[in-house]
Amino acid sequence: MDRIVDNEGTHWDVTQDQDVPGRSGHVSVCYRGVLMVWGGYTSTDSTDSTDRYIPSSLLYRYDIDNMCWSIVLTTSTTTDDDIPQPTAGACALLLDHYMYVFGGHLRTNSYSNNMYRLDLRNFKWKLMETNGNPPNPRDKFCGSVYNNHKLVYFGGYGPKPSPELIKRGTFTWNHEIDHPHFHIYGWNNFIVIYNVDTNTWEYPQTLGSPPCPRAAPCAVVMGTRMYVFGGRYLDVRRNDLHCLTLDTMKWTMLRNVDPTMDPIGRSWAVMVTVSERCFMIQGGLSTDGTPLNDAWLYDTTRDKWTRIPWPESTPRFWHTACSAGPTQGEIVVFGGSQRNVFIHPNSHHSKKVTILRTTPKTLERLALISVCSFVKKRLLTSEHIQDLPFECVYKIHESLSHVGYVCK
């Protein structure tokens, strides 16, 4: 592992290649100090493009404190139909103990509008039999959790919605490629909400001036506001920033106080909250097809973009980034393509984990890491730790279980 300290004093950890497949178009969430990675596709020598998809029964886990990977074979609660097909370009959101996976492009060369739920305590999938009209199938969209029970989705690319749903936004056909296959798909700018409490799809009527239809934007929710940046529409990858106030459902386009400091237009970037008032975007693919490696911070109280240092020279896009938790003070970035996949379909896919530490580790975490290290080296046994408070013993066993180790 390389440890980097930049000129601003920010600490970065970059884990080099390990025995996991590099990938793009995957999804990830952080749950109890572990990065959970599912889906996407990777490089292969096969001429069959469907072989690039990662098997959907495999969940890859990266333990942030122990800096190592493990693999879990997931199962279903009832039948095999409860396990998603191999998928790229879906959206995963974490709520309580569950990872909700919606949409995506399937290995069968079709688009999904199914909602799946993976219980991260027992690694069992469930296909949700939702109420209400499901959204049109799509991939390359964005989403975020609001008010602890609503999953809010925006945009994407896929087949035309039904007449009932198309009234809720704008859909634009893809006519830029002279091929019948592409003429049946297009971009949308719909806001779709999945209410977890009622297991129902909702289609709110929005106010204001919404963003134009687009694919591969990025988004975060901060308080009652959802921020949406970039994405591709027609042949342009955009750099506009929009805000949807979720309690009024009103769109507002935000303008930088210094327009000369705007990030360039991009799709397939990542966006993640780093503090109560700031979020970060990183990487992406520019309009001219150049993969990017820059990072920008947006201050929501000042409406200002600021470019920040990034520790790697290698670009990547269609990767993932997520917060390790409100008390962890870490942003975890994984995977992504390093070359334009439209020109190089079998592009090199990264397997690096990059961690941005926004706050120092707590003394409790440092102590837990040390105890687990001593246990793995057999310098401590279960007899040594049994007199610790129950909560400490539980955390030690939980941390060791992430790497497949049992304290004896």
Side-chain angles (χ1 to χ4, degrees):
M1 181 188 71
D2 294 341
R3 180 154 291 155
I4 301 170
V5 181
D6 62 33
N7 294 331
E8 305 296 326
T10 302
H11 289 258
W12 310 81
D13 288 342
V14 181
T15 301
Q16 301 298 336
D17 293 353
Q18 296 188 28
D19 191 20
V20 297
R23 67 185 72 195
S24 303
H26 55 285
V27 297
S28 67
V29 299
C30 280
Y31 175 71
R32 292 186 173 179
V34 178
L35 179 70
M36 305 287 187
V37 179
W38 179 84
Y41 60 81
T42 188
S43 302
T44 177
D45 294 330
S46 172
T47 57
D48 186 350
S49 61
T50 63
D51 290 341
R52 297 202 301 266
Y53 285 77
I54 304 289
S56 58
S57 59
L58 300 181
L59 180 72
Y60 290 77
R61 305 189 303 169
Y62 181 79
D63 187 291
I64 298 170
D65 284 338
N66 290 295
M67 296 178 293
C68 62
W69 288 94
S70 60
I71 304 174
V72 174
L73 181 64
T74 62
T75 57
S76 66
T77 54
T78 54
T79 68
D80 289 342
D81 291 338
D82 277 358
I83 300 179
Q85 296 184 42
T87 306
C91 180
L93 298 175
L94 178 70
L95 190 58
D96 297 328
H97 304 289
Y98 301 105
M99 181 175 76
Y100 290 86
V101 177
F102 169 64
H105 189 270
L106 307 178
R107 187 173 61 181
T108 54
N109 199 27
S110 59
Y111 293 84
S112 171
N113 65 347
N114 287 332
M115 173 67 77
Y116 293 92
R117 188 182 73 184
L118 178 64
D119 191 327
L120 296 175
R121 296 166 298 183
N122 58 22
F123 306 108
K124 291 184 181 294
W125 288 100
K126 180 179 181 180
L127 173 61
M128 307 300 293
E129 297 181 1
T130 57
N131 302 313
N133 291 327
N136 60 305
R138 67 189 66 190
D139 73 345
K140 298 186 287 289
F141 56 101
C142 58
S144 197
V145 178
Y146 170 60
N147 208 19
N148 290 322
H149 72 286
K150 292 188 175 184
L151 312 183
V152 185
Y153 302 102
F154 169 78
Y157 186 84
K160 184 179 180 179
S162 65
E164 296 80 13
L165 300 183
I166 204 168
K167 300 175 184 178
R168 295 300 186 181
T170 303
F171 179 86
T172 302
W173 294 105
N174 182 358
H175 289 301
E176 64 178 10
I177 301 177
D178 188 18
H179 191 288
H181 172 74
F182 291 93
H183 292 177
I184 62 175
Y185 302 120
W187 300 269
N188 76 78
N189 69 347
F190 302 148
I191 284 289
V192 181
I193 296 177
Y194 174 68
N195 189 317
V196 175
D197 289 347
T198 62
N199 190 33
T200 302
W201 288 107
E202 301 174 355
Y203 299 87
Q205 188 69 53
T206 62
L207 305 172
S209 299
C212 66
R214 61 192 64 198
C218 49
V220 294
V221 167
M222 300 175 65
T224 60
R225 295 182 175 184
M226 180 176 184
Y227 296 90
V228 176
F229 174 80
R232 178 187 175 184
Y233 177 55
L234 300 176
D235 59 349
V236 176
R237 293 182 172 90
R238 307 179 63 89
N239 71 338
D240 49 345
L241 178 64
H242 298 260
C243 174
L244 177 64
T245 304
L246 292 166
D247 52 2
T248 63
M249 283 295 159
K250 184 176 181 179
W251 281 107
T252 304
M253 183 175 179
L254 302 177
R255 302 187 183 279
N256 192 1
V257 294
D258 183 2
T260 63
M261 285 297 292
D262 283 344
I264 67 171
R266 66 193 69 200
S267 60
W268 278 325
V270 294
M271 187 173 184
V272 63
T273 303
V274 297
S275 70
E276 291 183 354
R277 70 180 193 182
C278 295
F279 60 79
M280 178 188 77
I281 66 166
Q282 195 279 319
L285 188 70
S286 70
T287 293
D288 64 4
T290 301
L292 304 171
N293 71 339
D294 55 344
W296 295 77
L297 200 68
Y298 186 81
D299 188 329
T300 61
T301 63
R302 301 169 61 196
D303 291 331
K304 182 178 180 180
W305 286 107
T306 303
R307 185 165 181 172
I308 59 175
W310 188 249
E312 300 171 298
S313 60
T314 304
R316 52 176 152 179
F317 63 95
W318 215 3
H319 47 319
T320 57
C322 50
S323 170
T327 62
Q328 298 289 91
E330 293 164 330
I331 307 299
V332 187
V333 182
F334 171 69
S337 293
Q338 299 178 2
R339 296 192 299 173
N340 191 330
V341 292
F342 297 107
I343 302 174
H344 308 281
N346 208 17
S347 173
H348 177 71
H349 303 280
S350 174
K351 59 177 73 173
K352 278 187 177 180
V353 177
T354 302
I355 299 178
L356 164 62
R357 304 192 186 280
T358 58
T359 59
K361 291 181 180 179
T362 64
L363 291 177
E364 180 186 15
R365 281 188 69 193
L366 292 172
L368 178 62
I369 293 170
S370 296
V371 170
C372 290
S373 175
F374 289 148
V375 170
K376 287 186 289 185
K377 295 176 182 177
R378 301 187 184 280
L379 299 176
L380 289 176
T381 67
S382 58
E383 294 181 356
H384 293 114
I385 65 174
Q386 65 182 1
D387 292 331
L388 294 173
F390 174 79
E391 184 177 355
C392 295
V393 175
Y394 175 81
K395 289 182 177 180
I396 292 170
H397 285 289
E398 182 182 43
S399 179
L400 291 171
S401 70
H402 293 160
V403 294
Y405 196 94
V406 178
C407 183
K408 299 178 179 180

